[in-house]
Amino acid sequence: LEAFKKASNALRALNHKVRQQILNLIDQKGEITVSEIYAKLRIEQSLTSSYLAILRKSNIVKTRREGQSIHYSVNYDHIKQITKGADMING
């Protein structure tokens, strides 16, 4: 049941066009900062940060601090777990 909840939360987080664009951008770059994301996608920094918070809370992205910068990367391990859980549900 817990795996289903995690998968459900992750899917809800991904069910947004801009968050999908952010995730695709992170995936392409490997690792990226908030500044790079909002400059590339041309959205406000505050909005970018709130979208990233949703992705981070659902464990889809992970962070690494370097000085004052926070670098975001895709949490592929968690995505694999979600996919595995979805496969189990589908039989």
Side-chain angles (χ1 to χ4, degrees), residues 1-67:
L1 187 60
E2 188 62 31
F4 181 71
K5 277 185 175 180
K6 287 181 181 180
S8 177
N9 288 337
L11 292 173
R12 270 195 299 264
L14 290 172
N15 191 22
H16 190 278
K17 183 179 179 178
V18 178
R19 289 193 295 262
Q20 291 170 9
Q21 291 173 335
I22 290 171
L23 190 62
N24 285 332
L25 184 59
I26 296 170
D27 182 48
Q28 290 170 8
K29 297 283 188 176
E31 190 174 76
I32 194 167
T33 64
V34 176
S35 302
E36 292 172 296
I37 294 169
Y38 75 77
K40 183 79 171 177
L41 297 180
R42 298 175 189 225
I43 53 179
E44 294 180 28
Q45 182 178 358
S46 60
L47 200 51
T48 304
S49 294
S50 67
Y51 288 144
L52 284 167
I54 292 167
L55 293 171
R56 195 173 55 243
K57 184 177 179 184
S58 61
N59 212 11
I60 293 170
V61 298
K62 53 188 177 179
T63 61
R64 178 182 65 82
R65 182 176 286 279
E66 186 176 296

Side-chain angles (χ1 to χ4, degrees), residues 68-86:
Q68 291 187 357
S69 297
I70 297 176
H71 297 261
Y72 290 85
S73 59
V74 177
N75 188 350
Y76 294 107
D77 291 337
H78 185 66
I79 291 173
K80 286 178 189 175
Q81 289 175 350
I82 294 167
T83 305
K84 188 175 181 181

Side-chain angles (χ1 to χ4, degrees), residues 83-91:
T83 305
K84 188 175 181 181
D87 288 345
M88 288 173 40
I89 292 167
N90 289 329

